[in-house]
Short mmCIF file of all heavy atoms in Angstrom, two decimals:
data_model
loop_
_atom_site.label_atom_id
_atom_site.label_comp_id
_atom_site.label_asym_id
_atom_site.label_seq_id
_atom_site.Cartn_x
_atom_site.Cartn_y
_atom_site.Cartn_z
N ALA A 26 78.06 87.73 95.11
CA ALA A 26 78.58 88.92 95.78
C ALA A 26 77.66 90.11 95.60
O ALA A 26 77.27 90.43 94.47
CB ALA A 26 79.97 89.27 95.26
N PHE A 27 77.33 90.74 96.72
CA PHE A 27 76.81 92.11 96.66
C PHE A 27 77.98 92.99 96.22
O PHE A 27 77.93 93.64 95.20
CB PHE A 27 76.28 92.52 98.03
CG PHE A 27 75.79 93.94 98.09
CD1 PHE A 27 74.59 94.30 97.50
CD2 PHE A 27 76.53 94.92 98.74
CE1 PHE A 27 74.12 95.61 97.55
CE2 PHE A 27 76.08 96.23 98.79
CZ PHE A 27 74.87 96.58 98.19
N SER A 28 79.05 92.96 96.99
CA SER A 28 80.34 93.55 96.59
C SER A 28 81.40 93.08 97.56
O SER A 28 81.21 93.14 98.78
CB SER A 28 80.29 95.08 96.56
OG SER A 28 81.60 95.60 96.35
N ALA A 29 82.53 92.63 97.00
CA ALA A 29 83.64 92.16 97.82
C ALA A 29 84.48 93.31 98.38
O ALA A 29 85.45 93.08 99.09
CB ALA A 29 84.53 91.22 97.02
N GLY A 30 84.11 94.56 98.04
CA GLY A 30 84.84 95.72 98.55
C GLY A 30 85.64 96.40 97.47
O GLY A 30 85.38 96.24 96.28
N ALA A 31 86.61 97.17 97.89
CA ALA A 31 87.44 97.92 96.93
C ALA A 31 88.22 96.96 96.04
O ALA A 31 88.58 95.85 96.44
CB ALA A 31 88.40 98.84 97.67
N ASP A 32 88.46 97.40 94.82
CA ASP A 32 89.25 96.62 93.87
C ASP A 32 90.73 96.78 94.23
O ASP A 32 91.36 97.78 93.91
CB ASP A 32 88.98 97.12 92.44
CG ASP A 32 89.61 96.23 91.39
OD1 ASP A 32 90.70 95.68 91.66
OD2 ASP A 32 89.03 96.09 90.31
N LEU A 33 91.28 95.77 94.91
CA LEU A 33 92.64 95.88 95.42
C LEU A 33 93.67 95.86 94.30
O LEU A 33 94.76 96.43 94.45
CB LEU A 33 92.91 94.75 96.41
CG LEU A 33 92.04 94.75 97.67
CD1 LEU A 33 92.44 93.61 98.60
CD2 LEU A 33 92.15 96.09 98.40
N LYS A 34 93.35 95.24 93.18
CA LYS A 34 94.29 95.26 92.05
C LYS A 34 94.44 96.68 91.51
O LYS A 34 95.55 97.14 91.24
CB LYS A 34 93.81 94.33 90.95
CG LYS A 34 93.89 92.85 91.31
CD LYS A 34 93.43 91.98 90.14
CE LYS A 34 93.52 90.51 90.50
NZ LYS A 34 93.05 89.64 89.39
N GLU A 35 93.32 97.38 91.39
CA GLU A 35 93.39 98.77 90.94
C GLU A 35 94.08 99.62 91.99
O GLU A 35 94.92 100.47 91.66
CB GLU A 35 92.00 99.31 90.66
CG GLU A 35 91.99 100.76 90.20
CD GLU A 35 90.59 101.32 90.04
OE1 GLU A 35 89.87 101.43 91.08
OE2 GLU A 35 90.19 101.67 88.92
N ARG A 36 93.74 99.39 93.26
CA ARG A 36 94.31 100.21 94.33
C ARG A 36 95.82 100.04 94.43
O ARG A 36 96.54 101.00 94.75
CB ARG A 36 93.65 99.80 95.66
CG ARG A 36 93.98 100.68 96.85
CD ARG A 36 93.20 101.97 96.83
NE ARG A 36 91.79 101.75 97.04
CZ ARG A 36 91.21 101.64 98.25
NH1 ARG A 36 91.94 101.73 99.34
NH2 ARG A 36 89.92 101.48 98.35
N ALA A 37 96.33 98.84 94.14
CA ALA A 37 97.77 98.58 94.25
C ALA A 37 98.58 99.43 93.29
O ALA A 37 99.75 99.73 93.55
CB ALA A 37 98.05 97.10 94.02
N GLY A 38 97.97 99.84 92.18
CA GLY A 38 98.69 100.65 91.21
C GLY A 38 98.56 102.14 91.41
O GLY A 38 99.08 102.92 90.60
N MET A 39 97.90 102.55 92.47
CA MET A 39 97.67 103.97 92.71
C MET A 39 98.78 104.57 93.56
O MET A 39 99.32 103.91 94.46
CB MET A 39 96.34 104.19 93.44
CG MET A 39 95.11 103.89 92.61
SD MET A 39 93.59 104.21 93.59
CE MET A 39 92.33 103.87 92.38
N THR A 40 99.09 105.83 93.31
CA THR A 40 99.95 106.59 94.22
C THR A 40 99.13 106.97 95.45
O THR A 40 97.90 106.82 95.47
CB THR A 40 100.45 107.86 93.54
OG1 THR A 40 99.33 108.73 93.27
CG2 THR A 40 101.17 107.54 92.23
N GLN A 41 99.81 107.48 96.47
CA GLN A 41 99.07 107.92 97.67
C GLN A 41 98.09 109.02 97.32
O GLN A 41 96.96 109.06 97.85
CB GLN A 41 100.04 108.39 98.75
CG GLN A 41 100.75 107.26 99.47
CD GLN A 41 101.39 107.71 100.77
OE1 GLN A 41 101.18 108.83 101.25
NE2 GLN A 41 102.18 106.84 101.36
N GLU A 42 98.47 109.92 96.44
CA GLU A 42 97.57 111.01 96.06
C GLU A 42 96.34 110.46 95.33
O GLU A 42 95.21 110.90 95.57
CB GLU A 42 98.30 112.01 95.17
CG GLU A 42 99.37 112.85 95.89
CD GLU A 42 100.64 112.08 96.18
OE1 GLU A 42 100.82 110.97 95.60
OE2 GLU A 42 101.43 112.56 97.01
N GLN A 43 96.56 109.51 94.44
CA GLN A 43 95.44 108.89 93.73
C GLN A 43 94.53 108.13 94.69
O GLN A 43 93.30 108.15 94.54
CB GLN A 43 95.96 107.97 92.64
CG GLN A 43 96.61 108.68 91.47
CD GLN A 43 97.31 107.73 90.52
OE1 GLN A 43 97.84 106.69 90.93
NE2 GLN A 43 97.34 108.08 89.24
N THR A 44 95.11 107.48 95.67
CA THR A 44 94.31 106.76 96.66
C THR A 44 93.45 107.72 97.47
O THR A 44 92.27 107.45 97.72
CB THR A 44 95.22 105.95 97.61
OG1 THR A 44 95.96 105.00 96.84
CG2 THR A 44 94.39 105.21 98.65
N ARG A 45 94.04 108.85 97.86
CA ARG A 45 93.25 109.85 98.60
C ARG A 45 92.10 110.37 97.75
O ARG A 45 90.98 110.54 98.24
CB ARG A 45 94.15 111.00 99.03
CG ARG A 45 95.17 110.64 100.10
CD ARG A 45 95.85 111.87 100.67
NE ARG A 45 96.86 111.52 101.62
CZ ARG A 45 98.17 111.49 101.36
NH1 ARG A 45 98.61 111.81 100.16
NH2 ARG A 45 99.04 111.16 102.30
N ALA A 46 92.36 110.61 96.47
CA ALA A 46 91.29 111.08 95.58
C ALA A 46 90.21 110.03 95.42
O ALA A 46 89.01 110.33 95.40
CB ALA A 46 91.89 111.45 94.22
N PHE A 47 90.63 108.77 95.30
CA PHE A 47 89.67 107.67 95.19
C PHE A 47 88.79 107.61 96.43
O PHE A 47 87.56 107.46 96.33
CB PHE A 47 90.42 106.35 95.01
CG PHE A 47 89.53 105.14 94.94
CD1 PHE A 47 88.98 104.73 93.74
CD2 PHE A 47 89.24 104.41 96.09
CE1 PHE A 47 88.16 103.61 93.67
CE2 PHE A 47 88.43 103.29 96.04
CZ PHE A 47 87.89 102.89 94.83
N LEU A 48 89.40 107.73 97.60
CA LEU A 48 88.63 107.66 98.85
C LEU A 48 87.66 108.83 98.97
O LEU A 48 86.54 108.67 99.47
CB LEU A 48 89.57 107.61 100.05
CG LEU A 48 90.29 106.28 100.25
CD1 LEU A 48 91.32 106.39 101.36
CD2 LEU A 48 89.30 105.18 100.56
N ARG A 49 88.07 110.01 98.56
CA ARG A 49 87.15 111.15 98.56
C ARG A 49 85.94 110.85 97.67
O ARG A 49 84.80 111.14 98.04
CB ARG A 49 87.86 112.41 98.08
CG ARG A 49 88.79 113.04 99.10
CD ARG A 49 89.51 114.25 98.50
NE ARG A 49 88.57 115.27 98.05
CZ ARG A 49 88.08 116.22 98.82
NH1 ARG A 49 88.42 116.27 100.11
NH2 ARG A 49 87.27 117.13 98.35
N GLY A 50 86.22 110.24 96.53
CA GLY A 50 85.13 109.91 95.62
C GLY A 50 84.19 108.87 96.18
O GLY A 50 82.96 109.02 96.10
N ILE A 51 84.74 107.80 96.77
CA ILE A 51 83.88 106.74 97.27
C ILE A 51 83.08 107.21 98.48
O ILE A 51 81.91 106.86 98.64
CB ILE A 51 84.69 105.46 97.60
CG1 ILE A 51 83.73 104.27 97.79
CG2 ILE A 51 85.56 105.63 98.82
CD1 ILE A 51 84.46 102.95 97.91
N ARG A 52 83.69 108.06 99.32
CA ARG A 52 82.92 108.63 100.44
C ARG A 52 81.76 109.46 99.92
O ARG A 52 80.65 109.43 100.47
CB ARG A 52 83.83 109.49 101.32
CG ARG A 52 84.82 108.73 102.16
CD ARG A 52 85.54 109.64 103.13
NE ARG A 52 86.72 109.00 103.67
CZ ARG A 52 87.97 109.37 103.40
NH1 ARG A 52 88.19 110.39 102.58
NH2 ARG A 52 88.99 108.74 103.94
N GLY A 53 82.02 110.24 98.87
CA GLY A 53 80.96 111.07 98.30
C GLY A 53 79.81 110.24 97.77
O GLY A 53 78.64 110.60 97.92
N ILE A 54 80.12 109.09 97.15
CA ILE A 54 79.06 108.23 96.62
C ILE A 54 78.26 107.61 97.76
O ILE A 54 77.02 107.55 97.70
CB ILE A 54 79.67 107.15 95.72
CG1 ILE A 54 80.25 107.80 94.46
CG2 ILE A 54 78.63 106.09 95.35
CD1 ILE A 54 81.10 106.88 93.63
N MET A 55 78.94 107.14 98.81
CA MET A 55 78.22 106.58 99.96
C MET A 55 77.31 107.63 100.58
O MET A 55 76.16 107.35 100.95
CB MET A 55 79.20 106.06 101.01
CG MET A 55 80.20 105.04 100.52
SD MET A 55 79.46 103.56 99.81
CE MET A 55 80.91 102.59 99.45
N ASP A 56 77.81 108.85 100.70
CA ASP A 56 76.99 109.93 101.26
C ASP A 56 75.78 110.20 100.36
O ASP A 56 74.68 110.48 100.85
CB ASP A 56 77.82 111.21 101.41
CG ASP A 56 78.86 111.11 102.51
OD1 ASP A 56 78.79 110.16 103.32
OD2 ASP A 56 79.75 111.97 102.55
N LYS A 57 75.99 110.14 99.05
CA LYS A 57 74.88 110.37 98.12
C LYS A 57 73.81 109.29 98.27
O LYS A 57 72.61 109.59 98.26
CB LYS A 57 75.40 110.43 96.69
CG LYS A 57 74.32 110.77 95.66
CD LYS A 57 74.92 110.93 94.26
CE LYS A 57 75.78 112.17 94.17
NZ LYS A 57 76.26 112.42 92.78
N VAL A 58 74.24 108.04 98.42
CA VAL A 58 73.29 106.94 98.64
C VAL A 58 72.50 107.19 99.92
O VAL A 58 71.28 107.02 99.97
CB VAL A 58 74.02 105.59 98.70
CG1 VAL A 58 73.09 104.48 99.18
CG2 VAL A 58 74.60 105.24 97.33
N GLU A 59 73.20 107.61 100.97
CA GLU A 59 72.53 107.88 102.24
C GLU A 59 71.51 109.01 102.11
O GLU A 59 70.48 109.01 102.81
CB GLU A 59 73.57 108.23 103.30
CG GLU A 59 73.00 108.38 104.70
CD GLU A 59 74.09 108.58 105.73
OE1 GLU A 59 74.92 109.49 105.54
OE2 GLU A 59 74.13 107.81 106.71
N ARG A 60 71.76 109.96 101.22
CA ARG A 60 70.89 111.13 101.08
C ARG A 60 69.82 110.97 100.01
O ARG A 60 69.09 111.93 99.74
CB ARG A 60 71.73 112.37 100.78
CG ARG A 60 72.63 112.82 101.93
CD ARG A 60 73.13 114.24 101.71
NE ARG A 60 73.90 114.34 100.48
CZ ARG A 60 75.22 114.20 100.39
NH1 ARG A 60 75.92 113.92 101.48
NH2 ARG A 60 75.84 114.32 99.23
N VAL A 61 69.71 109.81 99.39
CA VAL A 61 68.61 109.59 98.44
C VAL A 61 67.30 109.87 99.18
O VAL A 61 67.07 109.34 100.27
CB VAL A 61 68.63 108.14 97.91
CG1 VAL A 61 67.37 107.86 97.10
CG2 VAL A 61 69.86 107.90 97.06
N PRO A 62 66.43 110.72 98.63
CA PRO A 62 65.23 111.11 99.38
C PRO A 62 64.29 109.95 99.71
O PRO A 62 63.72 109.91 100.81
CB PRO A 62 64.55 112.12 98.44
CG PRO A 62 65.65 112.64 97.57
CD PRO A 62 66.59 111.49 97.39
N CYS A 63 64.15 109.01 98.80
CA CYS A 63 63.23 107.89 99.04
C CYS A 63 63.94 106.78 99.82
O CYS A 63 65.18 106.75 99.90
CB CYS A 63 62.69 107.35 97.72
SG CYS A 63 63.95 106.55 96.68
N PRO A 64 63.20 105.84 100.39
CA PRO A 64 63.81 104.72 101.10
C PRO A 64 64.70 103.87 100.20
O PRO A 64 64.41 103.69 99.00
CB PRO A 64 62.61 103.92 101.61
CG PRO A 64 61.51 104.92 101.73
CD PRO A 64 61.73 105.85 100.57
N THR A 65 65.77 103.32 100.77
CA THR A 65 66.73 102.52 100.03
C THR A 65 66.94 101.18 100.72
O THR A 65 66.96 101.10 101.95
CB THR A 65 68.08 103.25 99.91
OG1 THR A 65 68.55 103.61 101.22
CG2 THR A 65 67.95 104.51 99.07
N LEU A 66 67.11 100.13 99.91
CA LEU A 66 67.32 98.79 100.43
C LEU A 66 68.53 98.16 99.75
O LEU A 66 68.73 98.32 98.55
CB LEU A 66 66.11 97.89 100.17
CG LEU A 66 64.76 98.34 100.73
CD1 LEU A 66 63.97 99.10 99.67
CD2 LEU A 66 63.95 97.15 101.22
N ALA A 67 69.33 97.42 100.52
CA ALA A 67 70.45 96.66 99.98
C ALA A 67 70.06 95.19 99.98
O ALA A 67 69.73 94.62 101.02
CB ALA A 67 71.70 96.87 100.81
N ALA A 68 70.08 94.58 98.79
CA ALA A 68 69.75 93.16 98.62
C ALA A 68 71.06 92.39 98.56
O ALA A 68 71.76 92.43 97.54
CB ALA A 68 68.93 92.96 97.35
N ILE A 69 71.40 91.69 99.64
CA ILE A 69 72.73 91.11 99.78
C ILE A 69 72.70 89.59 99.68
O ILE A 69 72.21 88.90 100.57
CB ILE A 69 73.38 91.53 101.12
CG1 ILE A 69 73.46 93.06 101.21
CG2 ILE A 69 74.76 90.91 101.27
CD1 ILE A 69 73.91 93.57 102.55
N GLU A 70 73.21 89.08 98.57
CA GLU A 70 73.51 87.66 98.40
C GLU A 70 75.03 87.54 98.37
O GLU A 70 75.73 88.45 97.94
CB GLU A 70 72.93 87.14 97.10
CG GLU A 70 71.42 87.28 96.96
CD GLU A 70 70.65 86.05 97.40
OE1 GLU A 70 71.23 85.22 98.14
OE2 GLU A 70 69.48 85.91 97.00
N GLY A 71 75.54 86.42 98.82
CA GLY A 71 76.99 86.23 98.76
C GLY A 71 77.70 87.12 99.76
O GLY A 71 77.26 87.26 100.90
N VAL A 72 78.78 87.77 99.32
CA VAL A 72 79.63 88.51 100.26
C VAL A 72 79.38 90.01 100.17
O VAL A 72 79.08 90.54 99.10
CB VAL A 72 81.12 88.21 100.02
CG1 VAL A 72 81.39 86.72 100.16
CG2 VAL A 72 81.58 88.70 98.66
#
């Protein structure tokens, strides 16, 4: 696996407010990866 996606076990225990905060955080990280100044590559084996 590169990554199977969000951890659904953790997500199942979150309130709606916690889920919204989690999504804000994950969006911020994806945006940060996109804004890395140098070129970026994803090496994907598995899923």
Side-chain angles (χ1 to χ4, degrees):
F27 177 74
S28 172
D32 188 326
L33 297 182
K34 290 182 180 179
E35 180 185 65
R36 188 78 68 84
M39 291 181 177
T40 65
Q41 284 196 9
E42 290 75 15
Q43 290 171 328
T44 300
R45 291 190 183 101
F47 177 87
L48 286 173
R49 284 177 60 86
I51 194 172
R52 289 188 195 111
I54 293 169
M55 305 301 183
D56 290 347
K57 184 175 291 186
V58 170
E59 187 174 53
R60 293 195 300 268
V61 171
C63 67
T65 55
L66 302 95
I69 302 173
E70 301 266 19
V72 302

